Amino acid sequence: MLDTAKTRGRAPSRAKGGLFFLLGPAFVAAIAYVDPGNVAANLTSGASYGYLLVWVLVAANLMAMLVQYQSAKLGVVTGKSLPELLGERFSTPARRLYWVQAEIVAMATDLAEVVGGAIALNLLFHVPLPVGGLIVGVASMALLTVQNRRGQRHFESLIIVLLVIITVGFLAGLVLSPPSPAGILSGLVPRFEGSDSILLAAGMLGATVMPHAIYLHSQLSRDRHTDARSTPQSLARIIKATRWDVVVALLLAGAVNIGMLLLAASTLGGVAGTDSIEGAHAAIVNSLGPVIGVVFAVGLLASGLASTSVGAYAGASIMNGLLKVRFPLLARRMVSLIPALILLGAGVDPTWALIASQIVLSFGIPFALIPLLRLTASKSLMGVHRDGVALRLAALVSVALIVALNAVLLWLTFSGRA
């Protein structure tokens, strides 16, 4: 279970060390931004529309930097996670309803991550998808055991290693198939091409700005930097380190996401059957060779293992903060694995399940962002570290854009035009 006391005791902020020793929580949160749902959405975008939606990923990554920094700062300054602060402010019925939507988001996240890992095992070893999903679930339990027994710092180190593997796996193909500079520049101009591209953009946004990572990051930073509030100088230094932590981690995650779209645009455009991860992988192997295909599949596997572990961690944090219920982390991992295994066993198209899960996530974003914006702008809660005018304005614009895109997505979906 999420033992805060133990985590705090084992993960000191090392206030007297260099800034390097203060990095880490954002890298755990960043795993959510390179999960298998991103792979499906980004490959589909590049294969179907070329460089058209590069701007969506750039904008989404900037939004992600903004909100993850706000979440981390909230945890460091207040000593409480976002779910805990919301749990204190909501009435009991509202708290339960809010938890339901957050839990749906967490379940959609876990579905994408387990399915993605199962696809990777199938590509590498021809393991049946249901068996692969079970293997991914068991392996993620082993990763979570590290967090339970060795503390947050060791868990962060493992996640960072997996993030490096993910980066190499998803970007290696660009060495052999570099993207078009002119295409990249054209993709930075905001535009759509029909309702299907809007639907896909919403899925990409849902895959890039992750609600469960917003909830979790406040706890990760709070637990890591337990002595942050010992003096005003210490708190200011930790906030500065947190800013660098977020920028470096999210730049890396953003590069991976954009790199996947560019690889698909340069390699998969016009190739039949690339509307699934399996088809895209086959096209990559055909175009760039089996070695790149294996490296890509290994990156996908690392993505599934790391992100499903972080997703289970986030789900437990949400439940504990909102409902004050401490559900054992490994038991939660077992329960949340069931929906993914049912879908895999039923033969549902895995790539469709991945993209659908990202659309569900996009609807959960405002429920995380709007309260975060209000809390970090509160002078009574944040004191001198409340968001400045520029930051509040940027956050407000981000929330407005996300809500507007989701409204358009709803209209397209229910009008039958998507």
Side-chain angles (χ1 to χ4, degrees):
M1 61 195 302
L2 289 176
D3 191 334
T4 301
K6 289 182 180 180
T7 303
R8 289 182 178 180
R10 293 174 183 170
S13 63
R14 302 190 186 188
K16 295 182 179 180
L19 290 180
F20 173 80
F21 293 104
L22 302 177
L23 305 182
F27 285 84
V28 176
I31 283 293
Y33 293 84
V34 289
D35 75 351
N38 293 83
V39 179
N42 296 334
L43 290 181
T44 300
S45 174
S48 302
Y49 295 99
Y51 301 98
L52 176 72
L53 298 178
V54 170
W55 68 272
V56 174
L57 288 182
V58 173
N61 199 62
L62 292 174
M63 293 180 192
M65 286 185 184
L66 171 65
V67 300
Q68 293 303 148
Y69 170 64
Q70 287 180 303
S71 176
K73 185 175 70 169
L74 181 70
V76 170
V77 173
T78 66
K80 296 179 181 179
S81 69
L82 175 58
E84 287 173 338
L85 290 167
L86 294 178
E88 293 173 354
R89 285 158 173 75
F90 288 160
S91 64
T92 298
R95 187 167 65 246
R96 290 173 179 170
L97 286 174
Y98 192 91
W99 171 76
V100 169
Q101 67 80 27
E103 193 66 39
I104 291 173
V105 166
M107 289 175 62
T109 301
D110 200 56
L111 169 66
E113 292 154 354
V114 173
V115 169
I119 293 174
L121 287 173
N122 179 262
L123 294 175
L124 287 168
F125 308 111
H126 306 291
V127 176
L129 290 177
V131 176
L134 183 60
I135 293 173
V136 169
V138 172
S140 67
M141 289 182 192
L143 288 174
L144 291 171
T145 299
V146 173
Q147 192 279 334
N148 265 358
R149 296 185 177 180
R150 302 295 300 277
Q152 183 175 322
R153 184 61 173 167
H154 288 85
F155 182 68
E156 289 172 0
S157 298
L158 278 177
I159 293 298
I160 289 172
V161 169
L162 289 172
L163 182 57
V164 171
I165 295 173
I166 293 167
T167 303
V168 174
F170 290 150
L171 298 187
L174 290 175
V175 176
L176 298 180
S177 181
S180 162
I184 296 174
L185 289 176
S186 69
L188 295 175
V189 179
R191 65 194 191 281
F192 296 107
E193 288 183 3
S195 58
D196 285 346
S197 67
I198 298 177
L199 183 68
L200 185 55
M204 293 165 67
L205 184 65
T208 307
V209 181
M210 304 292 279
H212 73 290
I214 297 170
Y215 295 123
L216 178 61
H217 200 167
S218 55
Q219 175 166 318
L220 291 169
S221 296
R222 185 274 311 274
D223 289 349
R224 169 70 101 81
H225 305 305
T226 56
D227 61 346
R229 295 174 308 284
S230 58
T231 66
Q233 294 78 13
S234 175
L235 179 57
R237 184 167 179 272
I238 294 298
I239 290 174
K240 178 181 178 181
T242 295
R243 191 179 304 119
W244 278 107
D245 192 27
V246 170
V247 169
V248 174
L250 269 297
L251 275 177
L252 181 59
V256 172
N257 280 321
I258 295 172
M260 281 189 282
L261 187 151
L262 298 182
L263 178 65
S266 64
T267 306
L268 307 181
V271 179
T274 55
D275 55 348
S276 69
I277 291 181
E278 298 93 331
H281 175 264
I284 289 173
V285 170
N286 185 58
S287 299
L288 305 179
V291 173
I292 295 297
V294 169
V295 172
F296 178 87
V298 170
L300 180 62
L301 179 59
S303 169
L305 289 174
S307 56
T308 194
S309 303
V310 173
Y313 195 168
S317 173
I318 292 167
M319 178 180 286
N320 182 34
L322 288 171
L323 302 184
K324 306 301 179 185
V325 174
R326 288 185 176 274
F327 197 73
L329 186 53
L330 295 182
R332 180 185 174 85
R333 165 70 280 178
M334 293 175 64
V335 172
S336 63
L337 185 62
I338 294 173
L341 294 181
I342 291 175
L343 283 179
L344 290 173
V348 174
D349 177 56
T351 301
W352 176 88
L354 287 174
I355 295 176
S357 72
Q358 304 314 302
I359 295 174
V360 172
L361 287 179
S362 71
F363 289 108
I365 294 171
F367 290 99
L369 285 187
I370 293 174
L372 177 65
L373 186 154
R374 291 177 61 88
L375 290 172
T376 55
S378 170
K379 188 173 183 179
S380 62
L381 182 66
M382 301 293 289
V384 298
H385 298 290
R386 67 178 295 200
D387 290 344
V389 174
L391 189 57
R392 292 202 301 272
L393 181 60
L396 184 62
V397 170
S398 298
V399 171
L401 288 173
I402 292 168
V403 172
L405 183 58
N406 286 332
V408 172
L409 175 61
L410 268 177
W411 180 74
L412 289 173
T413 300
F414 291 105
S415 68
R417 299 188 182 187

